[in-house]
Amino acid sequence: MAEEVRVRYAPSPTGNPHVGNMRTALFTYLFAKHNRGKFLLRIEDTDKKREVEESYSAIYDSLKWLGLSWDEKVILQSERLDIYKEHALQLLNSDKAYQQEEAIFFKTKKEGSTSWIDLVGNKSIKFENRQVEDFVILKSDEYPTYHLASVVDDHLMNISHVTRGEDWISSTPKHIMLYESFGWDIPQFAHSPNILATDRSKLSKRHGSIGVLDYKRDGFLPEALINFLVLLGWTPPSGKEILTLSEMIEEFDLKDLNTAPAIFDVRKLEWMNGEYIRKTQNSKLKTQILEYLKDISQGKLEHPADEELDKVIPLVKERIKKLSDFIPLTDFLWEKPEYEQEVFEKVVKKRLDIVKLLKEMLEVMEKMEKPWKADMFEKTFRQFGESHGLSATQTFQLIRVAISGQLVSPPLFESVKILGEEETLKRANEALAYLEKSSS
Ligand code: GLU
């Protein structure tokens, strides 16, 4: 490509960027990097009524979290009002626009048609000019409309390719007419298809949390989310399903974007996140988990000591799909469990005397030679189960509930060793005291 590729991501600060916005940003970023061009960020904050203050930082944080760093200084349209006004007046003075009721309108062409070759699907898109009505370019409060500001900035920023969602297709003929009126070169356009929910309706807030930062809070890894997003509308020529950002850059081309809408299936995202967690080195996963715990508790959460985490991470790595799953699975290791009668009853049927069982189990545990060894622990409690009419699974589940209060935990013996013999006995005693009290 002869000319330098310069593309921009141009969000409006109207709320938390959602996955659709970020996918546009991602495609734009990949196209820039693949072509050794520039990825620019422009915030389109000319509609003060719809503006949400926090969205500025949410836009920056979302991009940074996903690793999509932008080149050059961020352009804020609200700081460039003079520029837009000057251009609106230029159109007014050359009779290409007119003023009506305090706002300036652009005169569209009424004959012929306007078309362009869209890079997505390499197809020609054509609008009859008579369908394109005159539109406002400058409002009475001296703020430009999206159409004017977008075209003026794309020109002044030397944007070579405009990449955005297909919702903007109907704006493109207006933009092309503006470029022509100014006598400017027209960039190329690429409109990516929409993202649909699994029920094939357009993905929106009512489909649950779709803000990028919500996924961060839910415990998704940025690498996994990026990987998931890139496949919404793009099929890598290599056919790979798991790709790093640099592999995406290597393979990406706008011409390979699908023209059909993409389907957003959160279960696939969860699966992919689990794959990423399993692929992550333990030491890196530890850092990610610690950062996650710190983030969600704003630094308040007491997190487990390093050496404990080193032991726990390999035990849970296969069992978690999201970083947040780490909490319910391992909380009992650093916090006293809360017992519930029903949880015990899920393991041992009501007709068995659970208090008596636990009491005898505790006696066996107390007598067992320390430090406990895996094979001895296993053998002792298998025998205990047999002599008390319990299956091995029931027996070990009963111990699990007694030390953790829950039915799911990392492997039992490893959990016991992390707690230590003393703490395990103490908890078994507490579980017994709880059961005695609740059954009396
Ligand atoms: N501000 C528009 C948006 O929020 C940008 C559209 C464009 O890229 O031209 O999607």
Side-chain angles (χ1 to χ4, degrees):
M1 216 169 285
E3 79 178 312
E4 193 200 6
V5 166
R6 288 175 63 86
V7 287
R8 77 327 188 252
Y9 169 52
S12 305
T14 51
N16 273 337
H18 56 74
V19 287
N21 302 132
M22 261 321 119
R23 189 199 56 162
T24 299
L26 175 60
F27 286 164
T28 308
Y29 173 90
L30 294 176
F31 181 67
K33 298 297 148 181
H34 178 85
N35 292 292
R36 301 183 197 292
K38 295 275 189 297
F39 171 66
L40 311 177
L41 176 58
R42 175 172 85 221
I43 302 202
E44 303 204 322
D45 53 351
T46 58
D47 187 347
K48 290 290 156 189
K49 284 195 288 298
R50 292 180 59 223
E51 182 169 316
V52 179
E53 182 65 36
E54 305 74 57
S55 9
Y56 289 85
S57 56
I59 291 168
Y60 302 138
D61 290 351
S62 302
L63 288 167
K64 282 188 205 150
W65 180 58
L66 293 177
L68 308 180
S69 49
W70 57 91
D71 303 302
E72 302 182 6
K73 199 167 162 282
V74 179
I75 301 279
L76 296 181
Q77 287 191 328
S78 60
E79 293 176 352
R80 297 160 62 82
L81 301 183
D82 287 353
I83 299 177
Y84 311 121
K85 187 175 167 192
E86 185 189 313
H87 284 85
L89 292 178
Q90 189 184 324
L91 291 176
L92 194 63
N93 294 336
S94 57
D95 208 22
K96 288 170 176 143
Y98 56 92
Q99 187 151 10
Q100 196 178 62
E101 295 167 17
E102 297 176 50
I104 297 181
F105 281 81
F106 177 72
K107 269 191 227 169
T108 59
K109 286 199 261 179
K110 303 293 178 299
E111 273 146 37
S113 60
T114 299
S115 63
W116 72 95
I117 307 279
D118 206 283
L119 295 177
V120 177
N122 222 14
K123 58 177 190 298
S124 169
I125 303 184
K126 183 163 127 187
F127 282 79
E128 294 304 324
N129 290 340
R130 67 187 142 70
Q131 292 172 343
V132 186
E133 287 177 12
D134 293 356
F135 57 91
V136 177
I137 50 175
L138 198 75
K139 295 177 280 182
S140 51
D141 59 4
E142 305 225 319
Y143 274 84
T145 58
Y146 156 68
H147 302 302
L148 179 69
S150 168
V151 166
V152 167
D153 281 341
D154 284 343
H155 171 71
L156 296 179
M157 290 164 74
N158 276 321
I159 296 301
S160 59
H161 299 74
V162 170
T163 50
R164 58 188 169 204
E166 69 177 13
D167 285 351
W168 299 102
I169 287 183
S170 61
S171 298
T172 303
K174 296 180 179 162
H175 296 184
I176 292 177
M177 288 185 197
L178 279 172
Y179 281 105
E180 288 170 345
S181 299
F182 284 118
W184 293 338
D185 285 346
I186 301 170
Q188 291 193 264
F189 294 96
H191 294 90
S192 41
N194 277 329
I195 302 180
L196 304 183
T198 44
D199 62 5
R200 299 197 72 85
S201 64
K202 204 179 155 205
L203 192 69
S204 71
K205 291 230 164 63
R206 75 191 161 81
H207 294 104
S209 84
I210 56 165
V212 171
L213 296 175
D214 296 330
Y215 287 100
K216 181 180 186 202
R217 220 172 359 259
D218 283 352
F220 288 94
L221 299 179
E223 302 87 330
L225 185 57
I226 280 273
N227 195 154
F228 172 75
L229 289 181
V230 86
L231 299 177
L232 292 177
W234 178 57
T235 314
S238 67
K240 277 191 199 154
E241 198 169 29
I242 303 281
L243 302 95
T244 61
L245 193 57
S246 36
E247 288 170 328
M248 293 174 202
I249 292 174
E250 179 86 9
E251 285 202 53
F252 189 81
D253 199 331
L254 289 171
K255 75 173 173 32
D256 296 320
L257 289 186
N258 307 334
T259 48
I263 307 286
F264 185 96
D265 184 352
V266 77
R267 283 166 311 180
K268 179 164 180 196
L269 172 59
E270 283 174 1
W271 165 80
M272 192 168 269
N273 208 59
E275 291 293 298
Y276 268 87
I277 287 184
R278 273 180 281 293
K279 237 164 42 95
T280 307
Q281 280 187 344
N282 291 349
S283 56
K284 178 158 181 216
L285 187 58
K286 178 164 104 178
T287 314
Q288 284 172 321
I289 287 179
L290 283 175
E291 268 170 21
Y292 177 75
L293 296 178
K294 203 162 96 203
D295 258 19
I296 57 156
S297 68
Q298 277 131 12
K300 284 190 218 102
L301 204 86
E302 287 247 8
H303 53 70
D306 264 15
E307 63 277 16
E308 280 177 333
L309 269 184
D310 287 335
K311 287 186 221 149
V312 175
I313 282 174
L315 304 179
V316 297
K317 204 172 169 180
E318 301 290 325
R319 296 170 187 231
I320 61 175
K321 282 205 185 118
K322 299 183 275 178
L323 298 178
S324 49
D325 295 340
F326 179 81
I327 302 172
L329 200 59
T330 62
D331 233 12
F332 76 95
L333 292 169
W334 10 91
E335 268 172 42
K336 289 266 172 249
E338 284 189 20
Y339 297 113
E340 276 169 75
Q341 181 86 21
E342 299 84 77
V343 181
F344 285 97
E345 281 165 6
K346 286 211 172 95
V347 181
V348 178
K349 297 198 189 56
K350 268 189 177 153
R351 61 183 169 74
L352 286 177
D353 186 345
I354 192 166
V355 173
K356 187 160 165 270
L357 255 180
L358 205 62
K359 204 180 264 175
E360 290 181 28
M361 190 177 251
L362 196 58
E363 278 164 21
V364 173
M365 226 179 240
E366 268 160 356
K367 281 201 206 104
M368 224 164 36
E369 192 192 326
K370 289 181 205 137
W372 298 342
K373 298 264 168 33
D375 50 354
M376 179 189 58
F377 188 87
E378 161 118 20
K379 196 169 132 220
T380 308
F381 287 105
R382 270 182 191 279
Q383 274 171 4
F384 176 89
E386 273 164 31
S387 57
H388 288 78
L390 297 178
S391 69
T393 314
Q394 275 178 309
T395 316
F396 294 116
Q397 275 299 76
L398 188 59
I399 303 177
R400 189 188 310 277
V401 178
I403 65 166
S404 70
Q406 58 200 43
L407 295 163
V408 192
S409 81
L412 181 63
F413 186 71
E414 282 81 354
S415 304
V416 163
K417 286 308 258 190
I418 290 170
L419 285 173
E421 285 83 353
E422 288 315 313
E423 180 67 17
T424 302
L425 285 168
K426 201 164 143 216
R427 290 193 181 189
N429 265 302
E430 280 160 6
L432 178 62
Y434 165 84
L435 286 172
E436 280 173 338
K437 207 168 128 216
S438 62
S439 53
S440 65

